[in-house]
Amino acid sequence: MADTQVDSLVAIAGSVSTSSTKKRVRIFRDEIPPILDSSEMSPELISLLVDVIFKTLVSYDDHGSRKAVDYVITKGFSNIMFMKSFAAAIVQAMEKQSKVQSHVGCYRLLKWSCLLLTKSQFASVSKTAVCRLAAVQASLLHIIMQKSFRERRACKQMFFHLFSQSPDVYETYLDELKCARIPYKDSPELLNLLLEFSRSSPSFGKVKAMFIDIYVKAVLSSKEKPSRGLSESFLPLFLQMSHEDFLNDVFPPLVKMLKRNPEILLEAVAILLKAVSIDMSKFAVELLSVILSQARHSEESRRLGASAIVRCLSQKSSNPDALEAMFNAVKAVIGGSEGRLQFPYQRIGMFNSLRDLSYGPDGKYLNNISCTVCRFLLSCYKDEGNEDVKLTILTAIGSWAARSVDAVQPDLVSFIASGLKEKEALRRGHLRCLRVICQNPDAILQISSLLGPLIQLVKTGFTKAVQRLDGAYALLIVGKIAASDIKAEENLVKEKIWSLISQNEPSVVQISMVSKLSVEDCMACVDLLEVLLVEHSRRLSSFVVLHLAQLLIFLLCHPSWDIRKMSHMATRKIVMASPQLSEPVLVEFKHFLSAVGEKLSVSMMGDADTTLDAQFPFVPSVEILVKAFFLISSVALASSPSVCEHILFCSHHPCILGVAKRDAVWKVNFNIFICSLYVHLKCDKRMSRKPAKDWKFEIYTLIFFAMTDAALKTCASMIVLCLV
């Protein structure tokens, strides 16, 4: 009988690798289960069955086949010998996977390991084996959590299900974590999942002390710099940390280690302070006294770490006395209380700390201290001889003056007016300072007296290429003043500023130039586009608008996340204020996609010159292009349904997904198109009354009613091409 079963399973094993989904399901639903039902299963048969199951680990990539395999695994757990053999095989496979650091098959191994813990008696048979399994689970989680959002979310749901279904396993994991047998320092993802699950439990108070103790030992008392991932894995704990927890358990070792090894803890402390939701007023001054020595350190990394901590302290100190005490502490160091700040980097670090204090909470007291700080900074500027330090002071002045209109006094305005006559670097520093001040709408009229010299800078900047960036900054500030003052708008028309831009540089700033600018300067360009296209679009010719749309698309696909985020917000404002601009922006995006596709095809030719030209200093990733398309298509369709043809073209462009298969492009990209339509059509009263299953039908109906004859023909031709 046993030999017959072995022969039968050997025959089945030969067909397991089939590509037919139906045959796969039949094997694991109909052919293998009768073998498991047999009361006589030899070790040879069990070993062969486990081998058959593991052959499907990578090759079975569809839901139906995998579900059938999981059914066999779960059914087999009723046999103790099968369970032990499967457990040994999966631990061995997971250990091998963690060594080679391969992502392939990780999720399936994790799922099988969770099935082993929830559907069998494995957890009660051997605690040592469970500990070993938990350790390799942590290693695989570390690999898979670096991948896509869907996989990360699936893993989180899988482990939450494990912990909720098996409280004993959850308790075992906590014990292993407490004893440090789970390698959470190198693989902190499992620690994070345990913390997040525990936080949602009513009994979190019982285990919170344990997690705080782990944090203090693993991070605050570490002899080596803890990884950023390890510090961030405790974020669920920080969100639940009380004032007493911080005061009694965290603050003493934190200060002790900052004094002993500050270079190790700066990043971790910044992550902690940014996440906790407690008032830092009572801790701010003591922490600042330790941090200020790092704020003026020769290593830039230490200065940046200290700067992040100072910013957190100011943001979370609600007591005005604490903010004043921090200002006085920084002021004293600048004044020489701890020795003369001989080197420029020392003074730069301290003035950056003053800038970071400006992020304190809003309130009447902030208005008063803003005036005091600005006066102090102006006096420091006059006594400073180093240009880099002066630029840092200007940044601090801008940050404080933007917080309170009371700080924009006549002496500050006259100071900036004289600074606009300085040489290139300092002049640009004053312009950047002005841009920050103008972020406070109430301060714009306070600086309207600077309109004359700013207009002259615009004229110079758009007639001399070397001063183009200065001209862009000046135009930004002039545009904001003109939007608030009718007389200023009349001056712009009188000085023929709009015709000057159209004749000399319709794109305002050339793309080849923008690609070389700093993040701050690129953000100023985004600000400028928003001001021109929202406040002054009626003054711009269609030729200028076209070039501005090109620049906007470029910034939407910029490598910097901060610039892309700001560009997305600006695009929404632009289209909401001027709906007629949505179609030109979409058309430019279509041209941009075609140009990117051409560049990619050229770069793939082995004998071609792959050097990127001025218009394409970088090629955006598929993800960036998709997000930009989502934004542009949704706002364009909401304002102009006639753009369906352009949206259909873009949604089927290979650059959007980076694939060349027509069927894949059709299936996935058309879903993207449908989703972008749904974002703006879901608020329609007719759709809000419909069940979810009818939404897609409603969207299709609205699409075809909105299409022109030409768009219908385009859509029909695409459908025919994809079905061929």
Side-chain angles (χ1 to χ4, degrees):
M1 178 69 177
D3 293 339
T4 304
Q5 289 179 333
V6 170
D7 293 340
S8 176
L9 192 56
V10 169
I12 291 173
S15 58
V16 163
S17 58
T18 177
S19 60
S20 170
T21 303
K22 290 183 179 180
K23 192 170 183 179
R24 291 173 177 179
V25 173
R26 187 176 70 251
I27 290 171
F28 285 91
R29 285 286 183 182
D30 302 330
E31 298 180 15
I32 294 182
I35 299 175
L36 287 171
D37 291 334
S38 173
S39 58
E40 299 178 2
M41 290 188 67
S42 65
E44 181 186 0
L45 182 65
I46 291 174
S47 177
L48 181 58
L49 178 57
V50 171
D51 290 340
V52 168
I53 291 172
F54 274 85
K55 281 183 179 180
T56 70
L57 179 63
V58 179
S59 59
Y60 281 26
D61 54 358
D62 63 283
H63 178 71
S65 301
R66 289 179 170 182
K67 191 174 180 180
V69 174
D70 293 345
Y71 169 76
V72 168
I73 293 172
T74 305
K75 185 176 179 63
F77 286 150
S78 58
N79 185 301
I80 298 297
M81 290 180 62
F82 174 85
M83 181 196 72
K84 291 182 178 180
S85 179
F86 182 84
I90 196 170
V91 170
Q92 186 178 7
M94 292 173 76
E95 288 177 342
K96 181 179 179 181
Q97 198 85 353
S98 63
K99 288 179 181 178
V100 298
Q101 292 290 301
S102 173
H103 168 256
V104 179
C106 279
Y107 178 76
R108 292 292 293 161
L109 286 171
L110 284 172
K111 186 169 184 179
W112 287 353
S113 67
C114 290
L115 285 176
L116 179 65
L117 292 168
T118 54
K119 303 295 183 180
S120 74
Q121 302 177 20
F122 177 74
S124 59
V125 170
S126 174
K127 186 177 179 181
T128 304
V130 173
C131 299
R132 185 178 173 187
L133 182 65
V136 291
Q137 279 182 331
S139 300
L140 289 198
L141 266 175
H142 180 66
I143 298 173
I144 204 169
M145 285 298 190
Q146 315 300 321
K147 300 301 176 181
S148 69
F149 167 76
R150 289 182 63 226
E151 288 180 297
R152 296 198 302 270
R153 181 181 60 186
C155 279
K156 179 179 175 180
Q157 293 172 345
M158 181 168 59
F159 274 89
F160 277 22
H161 179 75
L162 167 65
F163 300 147
S164 61
Q165 293 294 313
S166 306
D168 293 340
V169 172
Y170 167 68
E171 293 294 337
T172 301
Y173 276 55
L174 289 182
D175 291 340
E176 295 306 299
L177 195 66
K178 186 177 181 179
C179 299
R181 285 192 285 266
I182 293 178
Y184 58 82
K185 289 187 178 181
D186 297 322
S187 307
E189 289 77 13
L190 182 57
L191 166 64
N192 178 257
L193 290 179
L194 281 165
L195 246 175
E196 195 165 343
F197 178 81
S198 302
R199 184 168 68 102
S200 61
S201 171
S203 60
F204 179 63
K206 298 179 181 179
V207 296
K208 184 166 70 168
M210 182 198 78
F211 281 113
I212 290 176
D213 183 61
I214 292 174
Y215 174 70
V216 171
K217 291 178 180 177
V219 178
L220 298 184
S221 302
S222 176
K223 295 182 180 180
E224 298 179 352
K225 183 178 179 180
S227 67
R228 186 177 186 87
L230 178 60
S231 297
E232 290 179 342
S233 68
F234 288 95
L235 287 176
L237 174 65
F238 302 155
L239 295 173
Q240 297 294 320
M241 193 175 289
S242 66
H243 186 276
E244 289 71 25
D245 294 330
F246 188 84
L247 175 64
N248 299 325
D249 301 324
V250 176
F251 188 66
L254 185 152
V255 173
K256 178 182 177 181
M257 291 303 294
L258 273 179
K259 290 178 179 179
R260 183 180 299 175
N261 296 313
E263 69 281 3
I264 291 178
L265 276 193
L266 286 175
E267 183 182 57
V269 172
I271 293 171
L272 167 67
L273 297 182
K274 188 175 181 180
V276 293
S277 55
I278 61 177
D279 195 326
M280 301 299 298
S281 299
K282 293 184 178 180
F283 312 104
V285 176
E286 185 176 352
L287 265 178
L288 191 70
S289 63
V290 180
I291 291 300
L292 286 182
S293 61
Q294 302 304 307
R296 58 181 186 271
H297 199 273
S298 58
E299 293 182 15
E300 185 180 11
S301 59
R302 292 206 198 185
R303 296 200 300 271
L304 292 175
S307 176
I309 293 174
V310 174
R311 182 173 298 191
C312 291
L313 291 175
S314 64
Q315 287 175 331
K316 301 197 173 181
S317 297
S318 61
N319 191 336
D321 294 336
L323 189 61
E324 184 177 10
M326 286 191 285
F327 165 62
N328 289 330
V330 178
K331 179 181 176 182
V333 174
I334 293 174
S337 63
E338 297 185 15
R340 180 170 173 265
L341 302 181
Q342 182 178 0
F343 300 102
Y345 67 79
Q346 294 175 320
R347 302 194 292 280
I348 287 174
M350 298 312 298
F351 286 120
N352 278 333
S353 297
L354 268 187
R355 176 206 62 200
D356 295 324
L357 291 179
S358 68
Y359 290 87
D362 291 324
K364 293 182 179 179
Y365 186 78
L366 189 69
N367 296 337
N368 298 329
I369 197 173
S370 294
C371 299
T372 304
V373 175
C374 283
R375 284 196 296 269
F376 173 71
L377 289 169
L378 288 176
S379 64
C380 292
Y381 185 92
K382 294 173 183 176
D383 298 334
E384 181 58 54
N386 185 275
E387 188 177 88
D388 292 334
V389 181
K390 283 187 172 184
L391 292 173
T392 306
I393 295 173
L394 286 171
T395 303
I397 291 173
S399 296
W400 277 101
R403 294 303 308 272
S404 171
V405 69
D406 295 338
V408 188
Q409 298 292 327
D411 59 336
L412 177 59
V413 177
S414 61
F415 164 76
I416 294 176
S418 61
L420 295 178
K421 301 174 184 176
E422 292 276 8
K423 293 182 179 179
E424 180 181 358
L426 290 177
R427 180 177 65 244
R428 194 166 297 164
H430 282 82
L431 286 168
R432 289 182 177 129
C433 176
L434 261 183
R435 177 205 164 225
V436 175
I437 294 173
C438 287
Q439 290 176 353
N440 183 346
D442 298 329
I444 292 175
L445 291 178
Q446 300 285 91
I447 61 165
S448 58
S449 60
L450 298 174
L451 185 64
L454 287 170
I455 287 177
Q456 293 304 315
L457 281 177
V458 173
K459 289 182 176 180
T460 305
F462 284 92
T463 52
K464 296 181 180 179
V466 293
Q467 295 188 27
R468 183 61 45 77
L469 185 58
D470 289 356
Y473 268 102
L475 181 61
L476 166 62
I477 301 161
V478 164
K480 289 193 173 187
I481 295 174
S484 304
D485 188 347
I486 296 177
K487 291 184 178 180
E489 170 69 15
E490 292 173 352
N491 282 341
L492 292 186
V493 176
K494 183 180 178 181
E495 296 289 342
K496 299 181 180 179
I497 295 299
W498 307 120
S499 59
L500 175 69
I501 295 171
S502 178
Q503 293 170 7
N504 289 278
E505 187 53 65
S507 63
V508 182
V509 185
Q510 294 178 350
I511 291 178
S512 57
M513 179 181 176
V514 175
S515 63
K516 301 174 184 177
L517 296 180
S518 65
V519 171
E520 181 184 4
D521 291 338
C522 285
M523 288 183 171
C525 291
V526 177
D527 267 346
L528 178 56
L529 288 174
E530 183 180 328
V531 169
L532 292 179
L533 294 174
V534 172
E535 304 291 348
H536 305 286
S537 60
R538 66 187 184 281
R539 297 286 185 184
L540 302 173
S541 66
S542 57
F543 180 64
V544 174
V545 169
L546 185 66
H547 281 77
L548 293 181
Q550 292 175 358
L551 180 58
L552 182 62
I553 297 299
F554 181 83
L555 292 168
L556 275 171
C557 299
H558 197 278
S560 169
W561 182 85
D562 293 322
I563 296 171
R564 294 199 304 273
K565 180 183 177 182
M566 190 174 179
S567 301
H568 275 243
M569 293 187 294
T571 302
R572 292 190 183 277
K573 292 179 182 178
I574 290 168
V575 176
M576 287 178 64
S578 304
Q580 70 276 10
L581 296 179
S582 60
E583 187 168 358
V585 173
L586 181 60
V587 171
E588 283 307 315
F589 182 75
K590 185 173 76 169
H591 295 158
F592 182 79
L593 275 182
S594 298
V596 170
E598 184 179 350
K599 176 60 67 176
L600 286 173
S601 63
V602 170
S603 64
M604 291 177 183
M605 297 171 60
D607 56 347
D609 182 11
T610 58
T611 304
L612 298 176
D613 57 32
Q615 294 297 315
F616 286 91
F618 52 84
V619 174
S621 68
V622 173
E623 181 183 7
I624 291 174
L625 289 172
V626 168
K627 287 181 178 179
F629 175 59
F630 262 126
L631 171 69
I632 297 168
S633 60
S634 58
V635 297
L637 189 74
S639 59
S640 178
S642 62
V643 300
C644 287
E645 183 178 354
H646 299 304
I647 295 178
L648 281 170
F649 174 85
C650 294
S651 66
H652 293 78
H653 198 284
C655 283
I656 288 292
L657 287 184
V659 295
K661 297 179 180 179
R662 288 183 299 180
D663 56 343
V665 172
W666 168 254
K667 291 176 183 177
V668 187
N669 273 321
F670 196 74
N671 283 333
I672 292 175
F673 172 49
I674 293 299
C675 290
S676 66
L677 289 168
Y678 168 67
V679 168
H680 282 270
L681 295 175
K682 67 178 179 179
C683 298
D684 191 295
K685 291 182 179 179
R686 293 173 299 168
M687 295 185 63
S688 62
R689 294 193 296 266
K690 289 183 177 290
K693 65 180 181 180
D694 292 338
W695 282 348
K696 183 172 284 191
F697 175 77
E698 181 75 8
I699 290 169
Y700 276 111
T701 304
L702 290 173
I703 292 170
F704 285 101
F705 273 110
M707 282 184 177
T708 62
D709 290 340
L712 280 169
K713 291 178 181 178
T714 303
C715 181
S717 63
M718 287 182 175
I719 293 173
V720 171
L721 286 173
C722 293
L723 295 178
V724 171

